[in-house]
Amino acid sequence: MKLNVVKQRGIWWLVSGVLVVVSLAAMALSWSQFNGPVKPGLDFIGGTRLQLERNCSDGVSCTDPIDIVEIRTILDEQGLEGSSLQLVGDSGQALSIRTRNLDVDEQTELRSALEGYLGEIDPTASKIDVVGPTIGEQLLVAGLLSLLVAFVGITVYLSLRFKFDYALLALLALLHDVVITLGIFSILGLTIGYEADSLFIVALLTIVGFSVNDTVVIYDRIRENFKLMPDQDIDQTVNDAVNQTLGRSINTTMTTALPLLAIVIFGGDTLKFFALALIVGFLAGAYSSIFIASTLLALWRSSSSSNTDMATSATE
């Protein structure tokens, strides 16, 4: 069975359009609440993050989950109103607190107050991270600059290897992948409190590289088919190229996504969301390479050919 991606492009574009609109809406809502398309983590805005977990070895201390209301009261008493609170894990016995920058004395005082309510803390599962706002801003700027450089480099490379129109359409497909990934994680930030860290920028850069690689394979086959059958209809040429590379695209995506799925299921919190971002981006990238970049190229080349024929007829 062969796909006729060009004939059914309206369906593919509708699916992508809905996903992009939902993603943009989620990003706008996230921006109104967190001043960012995705809820920014400690890496980007600076502050102190404490992760504490009860010591449940005695089997008595952990009969009830941690009460967020009680923790909020303790933070208010410490003058830390507005801090972000989140239960970590499924047991309800671990807590993550993100607040303003605290010095050593303030950290000690807060930890002592929390231990008064939580009981004994497991030292092996607890940690404190401190990032200054200047460093956080530098990390954010560096991450965004890395993405910009990646897009520019990809555009130049594809323009040299193919043509500028190939590069422009591939860039649109990459933006599609990045927007959908950002949208999914905006929703996670709004619903479960996910906070983007520097690994999220790394995930976006990896997604861009993976997606453009898949697009290059399809574009390369389209170019070869153009050379072998220059008189063939453009739509048929694109359809043939997509079907000839379809198995490779699916196999590459699935063999990459399955190990990442194992990390999502069995990995820690940091690696779990990093792997999830890669899965979302890789799937979006495979979809955009097969159904968006190729069909856009077919439409563009078909329109260009029609305009050229009309200009030739008018001249004659």
Side-chain angles (χ1 to χ4, degrees), residues 89-211:
D90 299 327
S91 63
Q93 304 301 328
L95 178 72
S96 177
I97 302 172
R98 194 187 71 187
T99 185
R100 60 174 174 81
N101 281 317
L102 303 177
D103 57 32
V104 176
D105 293 336
E106 289 175 322
Q107 293 176 23
T108 302
E109 185 177 352
L110 175 59
R111 186 183 176 96
S112 299
L114 291 171
E115 286 180 341
Y117 164 70
L118 297 173
E120 185 179 356
I121 302 297
D122 184 355
T124 62
S126 303
K127 61 181 180 179
I128 298 178
D129 299 320
V130 179
V131 176
T134 303
I135 296 176
E137 184 178 350
Q138 291 174 348
L139 284 172
L140 179 59
V141 171
L144 295 177
L145 183 60
S146 298
L147 277 174
L148 179 61
V149 170
F151 278 118
V152 172
I154 287 170
T155 303
V156 172
Y157 169 74
L158 291 179
S159 298
L160 294 174
R161 178 166 180 177
F162 299 101
K163 292 183 179 179
F164 181 70
D165 55 351
Y166 282 81
L168 184 61
L169 298 176
L171 189 61
L172 289 176
L174 291 179
L175 289 173
H176 163 278
D177 306 336
V178 171
V179 167
I180 289 178
T181 305
L182 286 170
I184 294 295
F185 279 82
S186 295
I187 294 172
L188 292 178
L190 293 166
T191 54
I192 66 173
Y194 168 78
E195 297 176 353
D197 55 15
S198 55
L199 274 180
F200 186 67
I201 299 293
V202 176
L204 292 179
L205 288 168
T206 307
I207 290 165
V208 168
F210 182 90
S211 180

Side-chain angles (χ1 to χ4, degrees), residues 10-297:
I11 298 174
W12 318 130
W13 292 357
L14 177 62
V15 172
S16 288
V18 171
L19 291 175
V20 168
V21 169
V22 171
S23 296
L24 291 175
M27 290 161 62
L29 183 58
S30 176
W31 199 290
S32 67
Q33 295 190 24
F34 309 123
N35 296 320
V38 179
K39 186 178 180 181
L42 189 68
D43 287 355
F44 298 131
I45 62 176
T48 301
R49 179 172 55 201
L50 294 85
Q51 185 163 316
L52 307 173
E53 184 173 343
R54 278 173 167 167
N55 188 346
C56 301
S57 58
D58 58 6
V60 178
S61 305
C62 304
T63 54
D64 297 317
I66 296 173
D67 188 345
I68 288 291
V69 176
E70 291 290 339
I71 300 297
R72 177 69 66 187
T73 301
I74 295 173
L75 292 175
D76 291 345
E77 292 173 352
Q78 298 289 320
L80 301 176
E81 300 87 351
S83 299
S84 174
L85 294 175
Q86 182 182 355
L87 290 179
V88 180
D90 299 327
S91 63
Q93 304 301 328
L95 178 72
S96 177
I97 302 172
R98 194 187 71 187
T99 185
R100 60 174 174 81
N101 281 317
L102 303 177
D103 57 32
V104 176
D105 293 336
E106 289 175 322
Q107 293 176 23
T108 302
E109 185 177 352
L110 175 59
R111 186 183 176 96
S112 299
L114 291 171
E115 286 180 341
Y117 164 70
L118 297 173
E120 185 179 356
I121 302 297
D122 184 355
T124 62
S126 303
K127 61 181 180 179
I128 298 178
D129 299 320
V130 179
V131 176
T134 303
I135 296 176
E137 184 178 350
Q138 291 174 348
L139 284 172
L140 179 59
V141 171
L144 295 177
L145 183 60
S146 298
L147 277 174
L148 179 61
V149 170
F151 278 118
V152 172
I154 287 170
T155 303
V156 172
Y157 169 74
L158 291 179
S159 298
L160 294 174
R161 178 166 180 177
F162 299 101
K163 292 183 179 179
F164 181 70
D165 55 351
Y166 282 81
L168 184 61
L169 298 176
L171 189 61
L172 289 176
L174 291 179
L175 289 173
H176 163 278
D177 306 336
V178 171
V179 167
I180 289 178
T181 305
L182 286 170
I184 294 295
F185 279 82
S186 295
I187 294 172
L188 292 178
L190 293 166
T191 54
I192 66 173
Y194 168 78
E195 297 176 353
D197 55 15
S198 55
L199 274 180
F200 186 67
I201 299 293
V202 176
L204 292 179
L205 288 168
T206 307
I207 290 165
V208 168
F210 182 90
S211 180
V212 76
N213 178 66
D214 214 11
T215 303
V216 164
V217 170
I218 295 176
Y219 277 0
D220 197 47
R221 184 57 59 89
I222 290 173
R223 183 176 60 175
E224 289 178 2
N225 289 350
F226 275 141
K227 292 179 180 179
L228 293 173
M229 295 166 286
D231 297 328
Q232 183 175 260
D233 180 69
I234 293 175
D235 291 354
Q236 185 60 47
T237 300
V238 171
N239 280 329
D240 289 344
V242 169
N243 282 286
Q244 289 164 3
T245 57
L246 184 61
R248 180 262 180 206
S249 298
I250 293 175
N251 291 336
T252 302
T253 302
M254 295 306 298
T255 54
T256 307
L258 288 175
L260 293 172
L261 182 61
I263 296 176
V264 171
I265 297 173
F266 303 108
D269 290 333
T270 301
L271 286 179
K272 180 184 299 184
F273 286 108
F274 174 70
L276 181 60
L278 292 180
I279 291 174
V280 172
F282 288 176
L283 293 178
Y287 183 90
S288 67
S289 297
I290 297 170
F291 300 111
I292 305 301
S294 61
T295 54
L296 285 174
L297 181 63

